[in-house]
Amino acid sequence: MAKMQRWRRSRASEEGTLATETPDEASEETPEQTSDVEVAEDVEVAEDVEVAEDVEDLEHPPLPQVPDRSGVSGWLFGGRNPAEVLPLQLLQAAHAKQAITTALAMGLVAAVAGRPAREAGVVLVTVLVGQTILGWHNDIVDRQRDQAHGLTGKPVGAGRLEVGTVWYAIVVAFLLLVPLATTTGVRAGAYYLGSVAVAMLGNIVLRTGFFSWWSWAASFALLPAYLSWGGWGGKAVGSAPEPAIVVLAALLGVGIHFMRAVWGLVADHEDGWTYLPLKLGLKLGATRLLALSTLFSVGVVVALVVVGARVGLSR
């Protein structure tokens, strides 16, 4: 009887020990289980933070950026970058220096030839519009080359100015050019419009080979006819130009072509062009070519003045 009681007490004590140890053992976790729980908690916390930030952004949207109106450019352009203003982009693509210089020269020649001030003024404005069209057209044709060579001064090639916008500007300018050119005579206007058409054709045809100078010579040769046939009110009161003046004007166009080509010799050589200025530039060097072409152009201008003073512009 006593043995039975001792056996029962020992068995009860063992069961009690097992009962007390079992909850502790069940509460223990392996390291892998702990890391999985921590990663899950981190993911939940990150998602909660992102949701909270999104809600905060919706409740407090960012304030619109106020353009910087400090300085002259900020006051003139409303805080915008001048390179992003459309009129300035069109002006940059128009080859403004060449357009203004040619227009002033033509207006001065008209005044020296004895044309009234109003006619000289119309000639100046007409040539300015025509040269602007040529500059825009040239940038459209060269947009891929300008982009390939990374020319930042070309808004069309840099992508800041759309091609469609420039074509629209060309159409509008041409609609203005026709009445301007014919104001001093229908025949005179036809010669000037022909000069612009030849120059635009030269932007596309034969410009990369030996005969790249042809469009410059032909377009400049038509300019004396525009001046000599001119008359106010659309009346052709003038006459044909002197042949010597026409030849000298063509030579002047060739000289200007060589002068302008100097600045693009490196890019043209990389593109495989073989036109005459490049061939001479490779033999003489860019500096000598610029000096010789400038000297040649100045000599032609002096010859134009001398011949014009002796025989006049018209026959």
Side-chain angles (χ1 to χ4, degrees):
M1 186 69 178
K3 292 181 179 180
M4 181 64 69
Q5 291 177 352
R6 286 195 298 271
W7 178 81
R8 288 179 179 176
R9 284 197 298 269
S10 62
R11 183 178 181 182
S13 62
E14 291 176 358
E15 291 179 355
T17 304
L18 293 175
T20 55
E21 291 177 354
T22 301
D24 294 336
E25 293 175 354
S27 62
E28 294 180 356
E29 297 179 353
T30 62
E32 295 180 355
Q33 293 175 341
T34 304
S35 62
D36 293 340
V37 172
E38 291 178 353
V39 171
E41 290 177 352
D42 293 340
V43 172
E44 291 179 358
V45 172
E47 291 178 351
D48 294 340
V49 171
E50 291 179 356
V51 172
E53 290 178 351
D54 294 338
V55 173
E56 186 177 356
D57 292 339
L58 292 175
E59 293 179 353
H60 303 284
L63 297 176
Q65 295 182 355
V66 179
D68 184 13
R69 300 182 182 272
S70 60
V72 178
S73 62
W75 179 74
L76 289 175
F77 309 120
R80 293 180 295 173
N81 185 356
E84 299 176 355
V85 179
L86 180 59
L88 293 182
Q89 291 176 344
L90 289 173
L91 179 63
Q92 189 177 17
H95 299 192
K97 293 180 180 179
Q98 178 181 342
I100 295 174
T101 302
T102 307
L104 290 174
M106 289 291 292
L108 180 61
V109 171
V112 172
R115 303 282 289 277
R118 61 180 183 179
E119 293 187 25
V122 170
V123 168
L124 188 151
V125 175
T126 302
V127 175
L128 181 62
V129 174
Q131 289 292 315
T132 299
I133 292 175
L134 293 178
W136 287 336
H137 183 255
N138 182 264
D139 272 18
I140 291 176
V141 174
D142 287 345
R143 64 186 183 278
Q144 294 181 350
R145 295 183 65 242
D146 295 338
Q147 183 179 11
H149 293 289
L151 300 180
T152 58
K154 301 287 187 177
V156 179
R160 300 194 309 270
L161 186 59
E162 296 183 0
V163 176
T165 302
V166 183
W167 273 118
Y168 179 79
I170 289 176
V171 172
V172 173
F174 184 78
L175 294 177
L176 178 63
L177 180 64
V178 173
L180 280 173
T182 55
T183 298
T184 57
V186 176
R187 182 179 294 184
Y191 276 111
Y192 184 71
L193 293 175
S195 174
V196 174
V198 169
M200 292 181 70
L201 184 62
N203 285 335
I204 305 173
V205 180
L206 300 177
R207 62 178 304 201
T208 63
F210 179 82
F211 294 99
S212 62
W213 49 267
W214 78 271
S215 60
W216 290 83
S219 61
F220 271 72
L222 293 172
L223 294 179
Y226 166 59
L227 294 176
S228 64
W229 284 109
W232 188 255
K235 298 179 181 180
V237 297
S239 58
E242 286 287 343
I245 299 295
V246 175
V247 173
L248 289 173
L251 292 176
L252 179 61
V254 175
I256 293 177
H257 167 52
F258 274 69
M259 291 175 58
R260 285 185 51 81
V262 171
W263 310 108
L265 290 180
V266 176
D268 297 339
H269 182 59
E270 293 177 354
D271 293 338
W273 288 22
T274 58
Y275 63 163
L276 189 57
L278 179 58
K279 290 184 177 181
L280 293 178
L282 292 175
K283 293 181 179 180
L284 302 175
T287 303
R288 290 183 180 179
L289 179 61
L290 178 60
L292 290 176
S293 58
T294 303
L295 183 62
F296 174 82
S297 300
V298 171
V300 173
V301 171
V302 172
L304 279 169
V305 173
V306 173
V307 175
R310 291 184 177 182
V311 302
L313 178 65
S314 305
R315 292 182 181 178

